[in-house]
Amino acid sequence: MTADRRQFIFGAISLVGGNALLASCKSEPNIKPTNIANSGPLFYSAADFVLVTRLCDLILPRTETPGALDAGVPAILDSLMDQWANSETQSNHRRDLADIKTGLDANSGGNFIDAEYSVAEAGLNVFDTAAFSDEHAHFAYQGLKQLIEVAYAASEAGSETYHRNPVPGYWDPAVPIDTL
Amino acid sequence: MSNFDAIVIGSGMSGGYAAKELTERGLKVLVLERGKNVVPAEDYNDTVPIWERPNLGRIPQDELEEHYAVQNKAAGWAMNWASKQFFVKDSEHPYEEADDSKFQWVRGYHSGGRSVLWSRVALRLGPQDFEENKKDGHGVDWPVRYKDIAPWYDKVEKFVGIAGQNEGLPQLPDGVFQPPFALTDTEKHLRESVKANFPGRTVIHTRTANLTQPTEEQMSLGRAPCQARNQCHEGCSFKAYFSSVNATLPAAQRTGNLTLINNAIVHSIEYNAAKKRVSAVHVIDKITKNTSRYTAKLIFLNASTVGSAMILLQSKSESFPSGLANRSDQVGRNLMDHVTGAGITGRLNKFAHLTSYGRRPCGIYIPRYGNITEDGKPYIRGFGYQGWSSPVNTLNKRRPGIGREFKESYKHPAPWEINLYAFGEVLPNPDNRVELHPTKKDKWGLPVAQFHTTMGENERIIIEEARKDAIAMLEEAGFTDIKAPKGHITAMGNRVHEMGTARMGRDRNTSVLNGWCQAHDVPNLFITDGSFMASSACQNPSLTYMAFTARAANYAADKLQAGAL
Ligand SMILES: Cc1cc2nc3c(=O)[nH]c(=O)nc-3n(C[C@H](O)[C@H](O)[C@H](O)COP(=O)(O)OP(=O)(O)OC[C@H]3O[C@@H](n4cnc5c(N)ncnc54)[C@H](O)[C@@H]3O)c2cc1C
């Protein structure tokens, strides 16, 4: 990752209040875009990248296990949109982000990005509940959240969080969840 | 190049098996394969972890659309960065659909063919499947009955390695099985409920060609037990699932009797009218486009149902002006597949305290009951179901929540979701056919395939009834939230079980092959891919192709060694 790109990503994280996360970062952040860019996001505008970063941080925060930001999910999504998505998916994704942002701003006192973490969290909670009130209530948001989770689960850190052993070795069809 | 005892055309599921049997019988065998070779240690990408795969293993959408439009439509669920190499590029291998026909032709051109890609469901046909053509008049009578093929199923299952459980069901006979992958409690619950409420229907383990307890023979081929990764479409570095590349071709190789030539596109088979035998195979090199001719005493045609029909139709001579072995005019006709429609899902809370570990490469199966244990159906023949279950909080499923609660939801109690979808029999119909396109050619100058295929009324009714029955079984078992979208049935080819284009039969005027998969008109020509199938049954067919291949190969070797070919 180039210095510029790293700086940008650090910037995005601090902008949405991921300071605790940054403080604990070693000199090399644990962000693994699937493709190296020259500078800044490959696909997202600066504002979109900040939005995605905030969503990642709120949806899959760092707990005892790494969060979506530790796993570099915003950069992975950026790379996916740049390298995997076709122009239709790209423009739908941009449109969806704008739409989601409008809803989130309204739920977070006018500005989802600048809001305190707890305010943004509460705003997203309300938005999320409504988005799942029925199967199609906010399909685009559901899809974005799924993509964030898929990207996290596919990262090395996420695989460990979810005990997704690349070589499980055997199949057990009935594991009590209280043993996890 | 000449003086092989046998030439096998195609190295896929059936060609690999033919090569193994013939070489093990001591014959010098040449396998001609139109695609590249596949060497597991060099070509499989299954051990690359997902986080190291470009785009998390997804194939870029533009690439899919430009190069894999058909493959993706029918088999997109099996396609990713690692398995892509095992699908043909539609952009390089065009074909035509006549009028309103729909055919989705899914192919893999490389050593192993689609055996590298298959989902490994390995089921025997039952006695009824060999008798129904005669009883209801659709298609021609099979010249073989279950008892003729049963010992060959045994032999093949033992070599291939099938995980499954004996159930004593007459319509889906038991076999030689390694321990099955255990059912989930949700699946066991459905099994019990179906047993109690729908006598004659049974929920069983999928019988799957994944090793759970490898034999000495399997281990001697470098094959290890399944590691529960469920990445089988990518090849398997453990060689735990059966494919020609993992099993039959290495078995043939170790006899010292195998010659495999890759990039060898067979365009025709030469007929010697004086000897009334096929005598040579003509090949175009895929890369250089140079042509060559290979001779042998015996030819096994295993280029897959459509591929083999195309080769026969291209092999015109004075003796066979409409294509080799085609005096009956049945070559290319009676093209069948299986039919399915939208899947059915339902949820059950009872096992919310459980999750699973590992990724099972299979699920459940409900064998056919229509017109077997239950009469009075509005369709003829029948269907079975495949299915599986998992908790709804399994990652990658859309669900509400954010933050710690959401992140840890995989540890929270959640209902399990079951999925069922039917595989229905498609009736033989001579108008469903493939032929040589009159004008269009591929980049090697060979005519492209033109399909005339539609699903019929019986197939439509089968899917409608399968939907109703699945809803009833799930409701009776206490599943809720049942979703069963209506109305959609798959196009021909979509199930990738195409078969029937050189059917076997008792009468040389209405069929291409006899009961040994031997051409009625050409004694040293055997066709043992899905072409020989006289009906489709509703079971996944590849195990049957292999059993008939093994039987035909040993018959042919006997005849050859007795000087009778
Ligand atoms: C995603 C997927 C899932 C499947 N799941 C199942 C399942 O669960 N159970 C089941 O029973 N079946 C399944 N199938 C179907 C199964 O793969 C086929 O039935 C089987 O591979 C057919 O065997 P075959 O020998 O006829 O053809 P193939 O395995 O396709 O082999 C044909 C070979 O011939 C070669 N060839 C073709 N034309 C020529 C030519 N002109 N010259 C030289 N070589 C040629 C090809 O390159 C290929 O290697 C599945 C298929 C796919 C794609």
Side-chain angles (χ1 to χ4, degrees):
Chain A
M1 191 185 312
T2 64
D4 278 357
R5 183 163 162 79
R6 190 157 62 232
Q7 244 169 26
F8 178 84
I9 291 167
F10 266 88
I13 293 170
S14 45
L15 201 62
V16 295
N19 283 323
L21 173 63
L22 284 180
S24 67
C25 276
K26 305 206 182 70
S27 58
E28 187 68 17
N30 185 23
I31 290 172
K32 292 185 182 135
T34 46
N35 287 281
I36 307 296
N38 294 328
S39 64
L42 302 162
F43 168 78
Y44 289 130
S45 66
D48 280 349
F49 192 83
V50 172
L51 173 64
V52 169
T53 302
R54 171 136 259 193
L55 282 167
C56 286
D57 193 25
L58 290 167
I59 290 170
L60 291 168
R62 174 188 283 191
T63 54
E64 294 74 30
T65 53
L69 298 188
D70 294 301
V73 172
I76 294 173
L77 258 56
D78 180 50
S79 173
L80 274 180
M81 283 302 141
D82 184 63
Q83 319 259 326
W84 162 78
N86 61 18
S87 54
E88 191 187 344
T89 303
Q90 287 176 337
S91 62
N92 288 345
H93 188 67
R94 284 209 169 93
R95 185 202 58 211
D96 293 342
L97 281 180
D99 179 42
I100 289 165
K101 177 151 189 321
T102 307
L104 288 170
D105 282 347
N107 284 358
S108 319
N111 192 331
F112 177 67
I113 300 297
D114 290 341
E116 288 293 317
Y117 189 92
S118 57
V119 175
E121 187 181 25
L124 179 59
N125 225 335
V126 171
F127 188 87
D128 185 274
T129 307
F132 282 91
S133 58
D134 80 61
E135 203 183 331
H136 296 286
H138 203 312
F139 210 64
Y141 167 77
Q142 292 179 11
L144 173 63
K145 197 168 103 176
Q146 185 182 34
L147 190 61
I148 290 172
E149 194 182 28
V150 167
Y152 177 67
S155 70
E156 193 167 5
S159 293
E160 277 170 29
T161 299
Y162 293 139
H163 315 290
R164 276 182 71 89
N165 190 338
V167 186
Y170 65 95
W171 157 249
D172 183 345
V175 178
I177 49 174
D178 54 19
T179 62
L180 293 177
Chain B
M1 216 187 290
S2 51
N3 290 331
F4 290 98
D5 295 315
I7 292 174
V8 175
I9 301 170
S11 67
M13 191 81 75
S14 62
Y17 222 100
K20 168 184 136 39
E21 293 297 312
L22 294 170
T23 54
E24 287 179 351
R25 289 292 304 266
L27 274 62
K28 293 286 177 203
V29 175
L30 170 65
V31 173
L32 295 169
E33 166 52 54
R34 70 173 294 158
K36 64 174 184 176
N37 198 14
V38 174
V39 179
E42 291 163 20
D43 296 317
Y44 290 170
N45 288 316
D46 60 319
T47 55
V48 178
I50 185 152
W51 56 86
E52 284 180 15
R53 298 179 178 198
N55 299 313
L56 304 181
R58 295 171 180 215
I59 302 169
Q61 291 181 311
D62 281 336
E63 186 184 340
L64 273 181
E65 205 171 307
E66 189 181 343
H67 296 299
Y68 300 98
V70 176
Q71 311 302 301
N72 184 40
K73 210 181 282 170
W77 48 272
M79 295 185 78
N80 65 28
W81 167 81
S83 65
K84 181 178 81 175
Q85 58 172 329
F86 302 129
F87 289 90
V88 298
K89 281 188 173 166
D90 297 305
S91 50
E92 285 178 9
H93 300 282
Y95 63 89
E96 294 289 318
E97 296 160 317
D99 309 324
D100 295 333
S101 294
K102 288 268 173 295
F103 193 89
Q104 294 171 1
W105 192 12
V106 176
R107 287 165 284 169
Y109 289 165
H110 46 260
S111 290
R114 290 169 300 172
S115 73
V116 180
L117 280 175
W118 72 319
S119 294
R120 307 158 311 284
V121 179
L123 304 169
R124 294 186 178 203
L125 266 53
Q128 72 286 342
D129 298 312
F130 296 98
E131 293 161 14
E132 281 173 326
N133 278 9
K134 184 168 184 201
K135 283 187 186 151
D136 64 28
H138 290 271
V140 294
D141 187 22
W142 281 81
V144 170
R145 290 293 182 259
Y146 178 71
K147 66 173 174 24
D148 302 315
I149 196 69
W152 297 95
Y153 277 128
D154 289 352
K155 180 178 155 77
V156 167
E157 283 165 347
K158 192 161 164 264
F159 177 78
V160 165
I162 315 282
Q165 180 168 290
N166 286 325
E167 301 277 355
L169 303 170
Q171 76 273 38
L172 192 77
D174 291 338
V176 180
F177 297 138
Q178 301 187 3
F181 288 86
L183 300 181
T184 67
D185 285 26
T186 301
E187 293 158 0
K188 284 185 201 158
H189 170 87
L190 181 65
R191 178 174 159 103
E192 289 312 313
S193 165
V194 166
K195 188 175 169 197
N197 298 302
F198 300 89
R201 301 187 194 178
T202 320
V203 178
I204 69 170
H205 305 76
T206 306
R207 295 172 178 172
T208 184
N210 292 76
L211 301 181
T212 51
Q213 205 172 78
T215 60
E216 286 296 324
E217 182 182 38
Q218 285 151 354
M219 287 190 287
S220 75
L221 288 164
R223 303 186 62 200
C226 175
Q227 301 297 311
R229 299 181 304 157
N230 195 20
Q231 291 172 219
C232 315
H233 300 109
E234 301 173 1
C236 176
S237 296
F238 299 94
K239 300 185 183 159
Y241 81 89
F242 172 86
S243 70
S244 304
V245 175
N246 289 347
T248 44
L249 292 173
Q253 200 86 54
R254 70 180 175 185
T255 64
N257 292 327
L258 175 72
T259 304
L260 167 66
I261 300 184
N262 288 96
N263 300 323
I265 303 177
V266 171
H267 68 79
S268 58
I269 301 174
E270 189 178 306
Y271 181 71
N272 182 325
K275 293 188 173 161
K276 298 195 169 146
R277 299 285 187 275
V278 282
S279 50
V281 171
H282 292 265
V283 166
I284 304 174
D285 185 280
K286 185 179 106 178
I287 294 156
T288 64
K289 297 192 179 162
N290 292 336
T291 55
S292 30
R293 176 176 178 273
Y294 300 94
T295 58
K297 297 170 197 145
L298 182 64
I299 292 175
F300 266 68
L301 184 49
N302 296 87
S304 84
T305 307
V306 173
S308 291
M310 296 291 289
I311 291 171
L312 293 174
L313 293 171
Q314 278 156 204
S315 305
K316 294 191 170 110
S317 62
E318 260 179 40
S319 308
F320 292 104
S322 64
L324 182 62
N326 193 22
R327 290 200 178 117
S328 64
D329 186 34
Q330 292 303 310
V331 170
R333 294 188 183 273
N334 308 297
L335 179 53
M336 298 168 280
D337 183 21
H338 289 138
V339 61
T340 191
I344 293 137
T345 61
R347 292 184 173 193
L348 190 73
N349 259 317
K350 192 171 171 194
F351 304 105
H353 59 290
L354 296 174
T355 186
S356 58
Y357 173 78
R359 295 179 288 284
R360 178 177 51 164
C362 57
I364 54 172
Y365 188 73
I366 304 179
R368 175 179 157 192
Y369 48 85
N371 300 313
I372 295 179
T373 57
E374 295 176 23
D375 295 331
K377 299 293 183 189
Y379 51 84
I380 56 171
R381 315 285 173 103
F383 55 86
Y385 297 94
Q386 290 183 24
W388 70 93
S389 67
S390 57
V392 298
N393 62 355
T394 304
L395 302 175
N396 312 346
K397 284 197 177 151
R398 293 176 179 216
R399 58 198 197 285
I402 66 166
R404 176 185 284 275
E405 185 72 8
F406 176 69
K407 192 177 169 197
E408 295 181 355
S409 61
Y410 72 98
K411 298 188 209 172
H412 299 163
W416 282 62
E417 188 167 87
I418 200 150
N419 295 259
L420 293 178
Y421 60 109
F423 275 70
E425 177 155 358
V426 169
L427 294 174
N429 170 359
D431 295 334
N432 279 335
R433 66 186 298 201
V434 60
E435 59 176 7
L436 306 180
H437 193 279
T439 54
K440 293 198 173 152
K441 305 256 196 274
D442 67 14
K443 64 180 178 189
W444 297 276
L446 301 175
V448 303
Q450 167 150 281
F451 291 93
H452 303 254
T453 45
T454 46
M455 289 290 179
E457 185 60 4
N458 197 57
E459 286 85 45
R460 194 187 57 71
I461 298 171
I462 275 184
I463 291 308
E464 239 176 61
E465 293 299 304
R467 176 179 171 275
K468 287 187 210 155
D469 287 4
I471 295 172
M473 286 187 280
L474 293 191
E475 278 178 353
E476 195 63 58
F479 285 82
T480 56
D481 244 333
I482 294 173
K483 296 200 172 74
K486 246 186 173 167
H488 164 79
I489 73 165
T490 44
M492 200 80 85
N494 176 280
R495 293 295 85 194
V496 207
H497 293 166
E498 72 279 3
M499 57 182 116
T501 51
R503 69 182 175 194
M504 57 166 59
R506 297 176 192 275
D507 180 352
R508 61 173 58 236
N509 294 313
T510 58
S511 60
V512 182
L513 306 173
N514 67 20
W516 298 99
C517 297
Q518 181 181 31
H520 285 301
D521 298 333
V522 190
N524 65 338
L525 175 65
F526 290 78
I527 308 177
T528 71
D529 52 30
S531 309
F532 70 82
M533 298 283 284
S535 64
S536 72
C538 65
Q539 297 89 319
N540 310 52
S542 302
L543 182 72
T544 298
Y545 302 171
M546 291 191 276
F548 274 84
T549 299
R551 180 170 172 267
N554 282 279
Y555 173 84
D558 287 345
K559 292 279 170 203
L560 191 70
Q561 284 160 355
L565 274 188

